[in-house]
Amino acid sequence: MKIKFPVEETVKKRYSVRNYSERVIEADKINAIADFIKTLENPFGPTITFHTLDIKPGPTTQKLGTYGVIKGASHYIGATITPEPMALEALGYEFEALVLYLADQGLGSCWLGGTFDRRSFSTAMHIDDGELFPIISPYGYAAEHKHFKEKAMRKLIKADQRKNWPQLFFKDDFQTPLTEATAGDLAFALEMVRLGPSASNKQPWRIVLLDGNCHFYEAKEPGYSKAFAYDIQRVDLGIAAAHFDFATQEGNINGHFVTTAAPELTLPQHLEYVFSWIRE
């Protein structure tokens, strides 16, 4: 999909907002968000269904659980998928496009994968049985001050820190770190991947540049996804794909994603091939 916001500026502007102000989102922005959601697509094929929820305070308001993580939010967006290959990656790609669009509009958001009550949100969003419901996000204007739990969580997961290039990107094999100079015209796209959000800030993407193509791998965190019926870190790989794709588009570098181009490499423990970007 084509995006119309500046990639680096928007990626750096986005951060996880957990405390929201009472400022009302303007009607034209609400309508623009709905229109943007209709344009969302992904390079992997599976269909993503988006669900919006506006909470109007009152005596009959249903209590929705975010375990104290989110304060003051009146608007939520959720996404569901049917279980099929690459569905989680497709969800990560489209949802991150939406998150970046919200940031470009001056609105905050926060990826929630494990810290929301799926049962209450499923009921409120009228989600059918059989749909996987991995992700929601509040959205709105950020409050002027962060609450204590928000500050503590950001400190716990080191939210403002990212792994360095030698930990994430490699040349030809997993023994040779990739430098920005060696990456050439793909350095910007890889840097945008490095700055991307991920569950608990684990940054599970690993990329090998080989013959001009980029091969994406998941560095699986043992036991991390055991609480889910799916590998939630695959959503993070979709986020990485979105950042890479948007940055290469902005740089007029042509390429496409495939899932059947795994090179014959010796893989470190807990690493698994996911997809490749092939230069055209």
Side-chain angles (χ1 to χ4, degrees):
M1 65 173 291
K2 303 295 184 182
I3 51 93
K4 297 180 180 179
F5 44 77
V7 175
E8 182 173 16
E9 178 184 335
T10 309
V11 165
K12 290 182 176 180
K13 181 190 295 185
R14 185 221 66 84
Y15 70 97
S16 295
V17 174
R18 297 177 176 88
N19 193 21
Y20 291 83
S21 76
E22 296 180 356
R23 179 180 169 185
V24 175
I25 302 175
E26 297 82 352
D28 61 333
K29 283 193 177 182
I30 293 290
N31 293 333
I33 293 166
D35 289 340
F36 184 78
I37 288 173
K38 293 175 184 176
T39 71
L40 288 169
E41 56 186 9
N42 69 82
F44 303 115
T47 298
I48 312 303
T49 303
F50 286 85
H51 310 262
T52 58
L53 177 64
D54 299 328
I55 301 172
K56 296 178 175 57
T60 61
T61 299
Q62 180 181 356
K63 186 172 178 58
L64 300 171
T66 59
Y67 307 110
V69 172
I70 303 301
K71 300 289 186 182
S74 298
H75 303 277
Y76 286 88
I77 295 175
T80 57
I81 54 176
T82 56
E84 61 179 304
M86 300 304 295
L88 290 164
E89 293 85 347
L91 184 154
Y93 182 103
E94 291 193 21
F95 211 100
E96 178 65 0
L98 176 57
V99 162
L100 292 175
Y101 176 78
L102 292 171
D104 183 61
Q105 295 296 305
L107 299 172
S109 62
C110 183
W111 284 83
L112 298 179
T115 52
F116 73 99
D117 182 348
R118 279 176 174 76
R119 179 173 296 180
S120 64
F121 275 95
S122 293
T123 299
M125 290 181 167
H126 306 291
I127 292 171
D128 295 332
D129 292 339
E131 290 184 280
L132 286 183
F133 185 23
I135 297 294
I136 65 167
S137 174
Y139 68 98
Y141 288 104
E144 187 174 347
H145 301 290
K146 296 180 176 67
H147 62 76
F148 172 78
K149 185 170 285 190
E150 179 173 17
K151 292 179 180 178
M153 181 170 290
R154 291 187 66 82
K155 184 176 181 180
L156 177 66
I157 66 173
K158 300 179 180 180
D160 297 316
Q161 298 181 28
R162 293 293 187 271
K163 289 181 169 65
N164 296 320
W165 269 62
Q167 298 172 278
L168 299 174
F169 309 133
F170 303 87
K171 180 73 168 70
D172 298 333
D173 54 45
F174 283 101
Q175 287 72 52
T176 309
L178 178 68
T179 65
E180 293 186 58
T182 305
D185 62 355
L186 294 177
F188 173 65
L190 291 168
E191 177 64 8
M192 293 303 99
V193 171
R194 191 183 75 87
L195 296 178
S198 57
S200 301
N201 198 29
K202 291 186 177 297
Q203 306 154 66
W205 41 75
R206 303 292 182 270
I207 300 175
V208 174
L209 176 62
L210 176 62
D211 297 329
N213 304 317
C214 286
H215 304 281
F216 289 68
Y217 295 78
E218 176 193 2
K220 289 179 171 291
E221 181 78 13
Y224 184 72
S225 292
K226 66 181 180 181
F228 305 94
Y230 43 84
D231 182 357
I232 198 167
Q233 290 188 292
R234 288 300 182 104
V235 175
D236 297 336
L237 268 292
I239 295 172
H243 281 218
F244 189 90
D245 198 20
F246 301 156
T248 53
Q249 285 182 38
E250 190 171 86
N252 295 314
I253 303 170
N254 296 324
H256 62 278
F257 291 100
V258 299
T259 58
T260 56
E264 294 185 7
L265 300 177
T266 300
L267 302 185
Q269 190 177 20
H270 304 307
L271 219 63
E272 185 175 284
Y273 172 77
V274 185
F275 55 80
S276 299
W277 176 87
I278 306 300
R279 186 188 288 265
E280 296 172 355

